[in-house]
Amino acid sequence: SQKIEQNSEALNIQEGKTATLTCNYTNYSPAYLQWYRQDPGRGPVFLLLIRENEKEKRKERLKVTFDTTLKQSLFHITASQPADSATYLCALDFSGGGADGLTFGKGTHLIIQP
Amino acid sequence: DAGVIQSPRHEVTEMGQEVTLRCKPISGHNSLFWYRQTMMRGLELLIYFNNNVPIDDSGMPEDRFSAKMPNASFSTLKIQPSEPRDSAVYFCASCGTTYNEQFFGPGTRLTVL
């Protein structure tokens, strides 16, 4: 079965610095890899999607990389702000373009300290 | 659009009772997903539907769990009988695009005593 590993410990970053979160997976490579943000008491919110043939994707202060050889994705938040504090979930998507259930990691809790 | 709507937001019940969770997906979305989240296991897919048809229910933990989608705007997840280990937050999500960006509801926090 597919396993996804994210840093289980909280990540503390000083405001203004770049936060980097790691997602490692085993076995099959997904067609897509997605990142979600989850705040306490709320459902996950989609942030970015990157395809298996893409190396990097950017959206404002967010950047995602995808290395299918290392079976790893990195998620970067530049110029981090306290409002970026949340749990970030990595999700594997094997749908290849259709709709399919996602396999989620347990998430990394990010704390941006002012 | 109001987003994905789930009810109830909180449910406290006693072991052995039947529990029904409800979900209204975003209008126009043709895929619906039920997930369960716990501290120990994280967010797990239970079942999903495409065009109201169940596609994969391999994540449903036991026969005590069942899900239906009678029409494009409504789905239920039923647990009967409920057990304390079913305590979790249950999320419904819907998806309408080719690239599977999923929109999650606020979740139902279920506590089985």
Side-chain angles (χ1 to χ4, degrees):
Chain A
S1 62
Q2 192 65 258
K3 285 188 178 180
I4 306 174
E5 293 182 358
Q6 295 186 255
N7 290 345
S8 57
E9 297 183 3
L11 182 62
N12 285 272
I13 300 294
Q14 190 174 6
E15 181 177 7
K17 303 292 185 182
T18 296
T20 299
L21 285 65
T22 303
C23 173
N24 294 296
Y25 60 92
T26 61
N27 298 335
Y28 309 113
S29 288
Y32 305 91
L33 189 145
Q34 302 185 23
W35 284 88
Y36 286 76
R37 169 183 173 144
Q38 187 173 23
D39 291 285
R42 295 179 176 269
V45 175
F46 173 82
L47 296 175
L48 277 171
L49 176 152
I50 187 165
R51 304 173 198 175
E52 59 179 338
N53 61 352
E54 296 178 319
K55 296 295 185 185
E56 182 179 298
K57 201 79 165 283
R58 292 176 183 263
K59 178 182 177 182
E60 299 173 352
R61 294 184 296 111
L62 309 180
K63 184 179 84 171
V64 172
T65 63
F66 193 9
D67 189 325
T68 55
T69 301
L70 293 179
K71 295 187 185 296
Q72 181 181 80
S73 175
L74 298 179
F75 177 82
H76 307 271
I77 305 175
T78 59
S80 59
Q81 305 166 1
D84 296 326
S85 299
T87 296
Y88 291 85
L89 304 168
C90 165
L92 304 187
D93 181 346
F94 297 95
S95 65
D100 203 353
L102 299 175
T103 302
F104 280 88
K106 290 187 178 179
T108 297
H109 185 41
L110 176 65
I111 301 169
I112 306 299
Q113 298 174 332
Chain B
D1 199 321
V4 175
I5 299 172
Q6 291 187 248
S7 64
R9 292 295 310 277
H10 302 272
E11 177 82 27
V12 180
T13 189
E14 293 188 346
M15 182 173 63
Q17 297 297 307
E18 176 181 304
V19 174
T20 299
L21 311 181
R22 297 172 176 79
C23 175
K24 176 179 169 53
I26 293 173
S27 177
H29 282 188
N30 55 11
S31 296
L32 182 141
F33 309 83
W34 283 101
Y35 292 89
R36 177 173 69 175
Q37 187 173 41
T38 62
M39 288 292 291
M40 285 292 293
R41 301 175 66 89
L43 194 60
E44 302 174 287
L45 176 68
L46 299 177
I47 184 172
Y48 75 95
F49 297 82
N50 282 346
N51 296 315
N52 312 339
V53 176
I55 302 301
D56 184 357
D57 66 353
S58 60
M60 297 285 260
E62 300 173 31
D63 291 345
R64 299 183 296 107
F65 286 70
S66 63
K68 294 182 179 180
M69 192 165 185
N71 57 61
S73 59
F74 183 66
S75 177
T76 60
L77 178 67
K78 183 180 293 186
I79 308 172
Q80 181 185 22
S82 58
E83 296 183 3
R85 59 192 168 125
D86 301 331
S87 297
V89 180
Y90 290 80
F91 288 103
C92 174
S94 70
C95 168
T97 67
T98 301
Y99 298 110
N100 209 14
E101 171 189 343
Q102 297 189 9
F103 294 82
F104 283 76
T108 295
R109 181 173 295 277
L110 173 65
T111 302
V112 183
L113 303 174

